Amino acid sequence: MGDFCKGRTVIVTGAGGGLGRAYAMALGAEGANVVVNDINAKTAQATFEAITEAGGKALVNLGDITDYDSAFDIVKSAIDEFGNLHAVVNNAGNNRDRMFTSLSEEDWDLVIKVHLKGHFCISSHAAKYWRQQSKEGKKVNARIINTSSGAGLQGSVGQTNYSAAKGGILTLTLNQSAELARYGITANAVAPQGRTGMTEDVFADMMKVPEDGGFDKYDPANVAPLICYLVSEKSSHVNGHCFESFGGMLSIAEGWKTGPVKDKGARYDVSEIGDVISDLEGVTTSAQKVYGT
């Protein structure tokens, strides 16, 4: 057992498997009180037992993160059980992959609901709790950790709904980081790569465990140290970033920002726009290619 997150209470959504389970296990091993949230009772219980059998403290919660009232109960359960709440790791997700012209309204709504609304609901209640603590003069050192992906950063063919949700989460993170810092709350995002229930079937060959016993770069546990650091008190100066984490690689993503400008000082005529765009394309850094192209 470590003590990097000792005494910190953290909610991890989607903690029954994959990345969420790896985060919950690592947080428990670092002394955190872990609320294991998942809609799958069996897998949530398995994560809970693994944490407690290793000497950690945990609580199972099966609440629906996409329901605002249920999300309140999830936050309340953490506070009731452990006396406080210090961090939320919004990890739960789903996918309904289709090419854009085959995407149904249901495919869109389900993915946006779980990812984007799910991130909002728990974070909203947690932030209100921390704001109230701050107004009462209590010291707040709180964290919101959101989950985006490479698809959110640059798009992914066949995943329009997922990419849009993950892109929205990045902007949500930026707004949270700007608005909530005054209350002692930081907000960061991670774009992890690892073996999960959503990826291991589709990319089974690529993500299989090395037979030679070499470094398993797709092990979701590789991302967990970053999550533990961000949850800890030591990360209070880190705010508004999206971290890409894969295997032994870690980087801070560089998002949308204003590029080179051509300013006429007057309104352009429509006949001028084509040449201006051509000039700008020649001096503007190209975006990364969309996954799958």
Side-chain angles (χ1 to χ4, degrees):
M1 295 289 292
D3 61 2
F4 213 83
C5 299
K6 185 176 182 180
R8 302 278 280 173
T9 296
V10 53
I11 297 169
V12 182
T13 70
L19 289 161
R21 177 182 169 86
Y23 301 162
M25 293 284 294
L27 287 162
E30 290 294 341
N33 307 314
V34 185
V35 178
V36 178
N37 171 262
D38 203 290
I39 58 172
N40 187 317
K42 183 177 180 179
T43 59
Q45 183 65 25
T47 299
F48 165 81
E49 291 176 359
I51 294 171
T52 55
E53 288 173 3
K57 297 180 180 179
L59 169 70
V60 171
N61 183 284
L62 306 179
D64 181 358
I65 62 170
T66 70
D67 180 87
Y68 197 68
D69 291 338
S70 176
F72 174 82
D73 292 336
I74 297 169
V75 171
K76 186 175 184 297
S77 73
I79 299 166
D80 288 347
E81 179 73 13
F82 299 114
N84 205 345
L85 176 66
H86 303 96
V88 172
V89 179
N90 289 305
N91 166 76
N94 65 346
N95 58 358
R96 295 286 287 269
D97 294 352
R98 306 279 190 277
M99 297 299 283
F100 183 74
T101 51
S102 298
L103 199 65
S104 71
E105 182 180 13
E106 181 185 30
D107 294 331
W108 177 270
D109 287 346
L110 285 173
V111 170
I112 296 295
K113 182 179 181 181
V114 172
H115 290 276
L116 196 50
K117 186 180 180 183
H119 272 57
F120 163 73
C121 289
I122 290 186
S123 297
S124 173
H125 292 300
K128 289 177 180 179
Y129 169 72
W130 293 322
R131 180 183 63 180
Q132 184 59 37
Q133 285 189 316
S134 178
K135 287 183 175 181
E136 293 172 358
K138 299 176 182 177
K139 183 179 179 181
V140 177
N141 195 351
R143 309 283 180 267
I144 296 173
I145 301 168
N146 296 325
T147 302
S148 185
S149 75
L153 289 163
Q154 62 198 73
S156 178
V157 170
Q159 292 188 307
T160 297
N161 47 0
Y162 181 79
S163 299
K166 291 302 192 184
I169 287 167
L170 290 172
T171 309
L172 170 68
T173 304
L174 288 177
N175 270 55
Q176 289 172 331
S177 69
E179 294 181 12
L180 302 178
R182 71 190 74 179
Y183 305 119
I185 308 165
T186 66
N188 292 283
V190 293
Q193 290 190 54
R195 192 181 299 108
T196 73
M198 293 195 301
T199 60
E200 61 186 348
D201 291 334
V202 178
F203 303 107
D205 289 339
M206 182 176 70
M207 292 189 171
K208 63 184 179 182
V209 177
E211 296 178 357
D212 61 1
F215 177 50
D216 181 4
K217 61 183 180 180
Y218 287 102
D219 186 344
N222 297 328
V223 186
L226 169 64
I227 302 300
C228 290
Y229 176 76
L230 292 177
V231 166
S232 78
E233 292 187 354
K234 297 180 183 296
S235 67
S236 58
H237 62 290
V238 181
N239 194 27
H241 294 306
C242 176
F243 295 91
E244 293 187 84
S245 178
F246 171 47
M249 297 186 294
L250 183 64
S251 66
I252 297 176
E254 296 181 341
W256 290 105
K257 52 189 175 183
T258 304
V261 175
K262 289 185 68 69
D263 185 357
K264 180 181 177 181
R267 182 185 304 147
Y268 283 110
D269 186 84
V270 66
S271 64
E272 300 175 302
I273 296 296
D275 288 339
V276 174
I277 289 176
S278 293
D279 290 344
L280 288 173
E281 286 178 328
V283 295
T284 301
T285 301
S286 299
Q288 288 180 259
K289 289 186 176 181
V290 173
Y291 281 108
T293 61

